[in-house]
Amino acid sequence: MGLRAAGDAGRLALRLGLLLSLLAQQPVSAKNDSGSALEQAVVEPIPESADLASRKLSKEVEFGMCTVTCGIGIREVLLTNGCPGSETKCIVRVEECRGPVDCGWGRPISESLATVKIPCIFIPPENRFTYLWKMLIPDQQSLILPNDSAILEVHRDTHPVAFQCDTKENNELVASVKYTVYTTAELETRRLRRPDTNVVLVFVLITGVIVCVGVIFALIFIILHWAAVKAFWASKVGKSSKEEQSSAQGSTINSSR
């Protein structure tokens, strides 16, 4: 019985020793882990923030003017740093740009007394977009036309008709423009009214040209006869100064009396 009790006590003591050794090793490993993490943070450089990189890039890039004020167009992307040679700016690429969707009333690309060609707003390639043509009817719902091309050819009617084209990309409205197709009689009347305006513009232009030519000839005459002009001007100035002196002397004599 004594031997058995001694054996149990020895095993218990061995187990307690192993448990204490494990507990003593855990803080050391934690310290080693924290030290390795600190060393890794010190050795590895901190990456530059994306915001700072984008701000640097924005300072080196400029955007040109958009080719349109509404709808969809294109613009140039200019580089202000690192251009070849002595150039201060150079074109990097061309990208599309967009403005307000509503483009108001447009002008036909061609018209005759019988037909009119009116375009939608788009940029190449033409098949990138879908086009929806409508006939605008006052106080009624618009009539959707079966034509889905970018250019619509319309025959003139007995009364003016308004059309609208909606340009879409992936069911998103990109641009919208309207046109008025006048009758043949209205077109002829508008063409007859234009010569009056043209006559006024031609008259103003001719008058301006005559005035400019007169000024040029006057300058040429002055340059060629500068000595005579100078003598004439000096005589005028001398005469006026003599008149002033005589008037001043007369005033002094009258005052002395």
Side-chain angles (χ1 to χ4, degrees):
M1 294 292 290
L3 292 174
R4 185 175 180 181
D8 292 339
R11 284 193 295 271
L12 180 60
L14 180 62
R15 290 176 182 176
L16 289 174
L18 290 174
L19 181 61
L20 291 173
S21 64
L22 288 174
L23 291 175
Q25 287 178 358
Q26 282 182 357
V28 175
S29 62
K31 290 181 181 179
N32 291 334
D33 291 340
S34 62
S36 63
L38 180 61
E39 290 177 358
Q40 185 177 5
V42 172
V43 173
E44 292 183 358
I46 300 174
E48 188 178 20
S49 64
D51 185 27
L52 182 59
S54 64
R55 278 184 291 178
K56 286 184 178 180
L57 183 61
S58 63
K59 290 182 180 179
E60 298 179 355
V61 174
E62 289 184 1
F63 297 95
M65 294 292 293
C66 190
T67 56
V68 296
T69 56
C70 64
I72 185 169
I74 57 175
R75 67 179 178 184
E76 296 176 346
V77 180
L78 306 173
L79 186 66
T80 60
N81 188 13
C83 294
S86 59
E87 296 182 0
T88 57
K89 294 182 182 181
C90 51
I91 300 175
V92 179
R93 64 181 185 275
V94 177
E95 64 181 14
E96 68 179 46
C97 54
R98 299 193 181 187
V101 174
D102 188 5
C103 291
W105 296 88
R107 293 184 177 181
I109 55 176
S110 67
E111 57 181 343
S112 63
L113 293 176
T115 59
V116 180
K117 287 185 178 180
I118 49 180
C120 295
I121 295 176
F122 65 93
I123 59 174
E126 181 180 329
N127 58 2
R128 170 186 167 185
F129 306 97
T130 57
Y131 310 99
L132 179 64
W133 284 98
K134 303 175 185 178
M135 179 186 292
L136 304 179
I137 303 173
D139 302 327
Q140 293 185 21
Q141 189 176 1
S142 303
L143 178 63
I144 298 177
L145 304 179
N147 192 312
D148 59 352
S149 60
I151 299 176
L152 179 66
E153 185 174 2
V154 182
H155 292 272
R156 297 188 186 276
D157 205 343
T158 56
H159 59 278
V161 183
F163 294 91
Q164 177 178 328
C165 177
D166 294 338
T167 303
K168 295 183 178 182
E169 183 181 17
N170 299 326
N171 293 325
E172 179 186 358
L173 184 62
V174 175
S176 178
V177 62
K178 296 184 283 291
Y179 299 93
T180 298
V181 178
Y182 297 97
T183 63
T184 304
E186 289 176 337
L187 180 62
E188 291 178 346
T189 304
R190 289 167 64 89
R191 287 183 176 179
L192 290 174
R193 290 177 180 175
R194 287 177 184 174
D196 297 335
T197 307
N198 293 335
V199 168
V200 174
L201 293 176
V202 170
F203 176 76
V204 172
L205 180 62
I206 293 174
T207 305
V209 170
I210 292 173
V211 171
C212 291
V213 170
V215 171
I216 291 171
F217 274 108
L219 292 174
I220 293 173
F221 177 81
I222 292 172
I223 292 171
L224 293 177
H225 302 83
W226 175 246
V229 172
K230 188 176 181 181
F232 175 78
W233 189 257
S235 64
K236 284 285 187 183
V237 173
K239 186 177 179 181
S240 62
S241 63
K242 288 179 180 179
E243 289 178 354
E244 289 177 357
Q245 289 177 0
S246 62
S247 62
Q249 289 176 357
S251 62
T252 54
I253 291 170
N254 293 329
S255 62
S256 64
R257 289 180 182 178

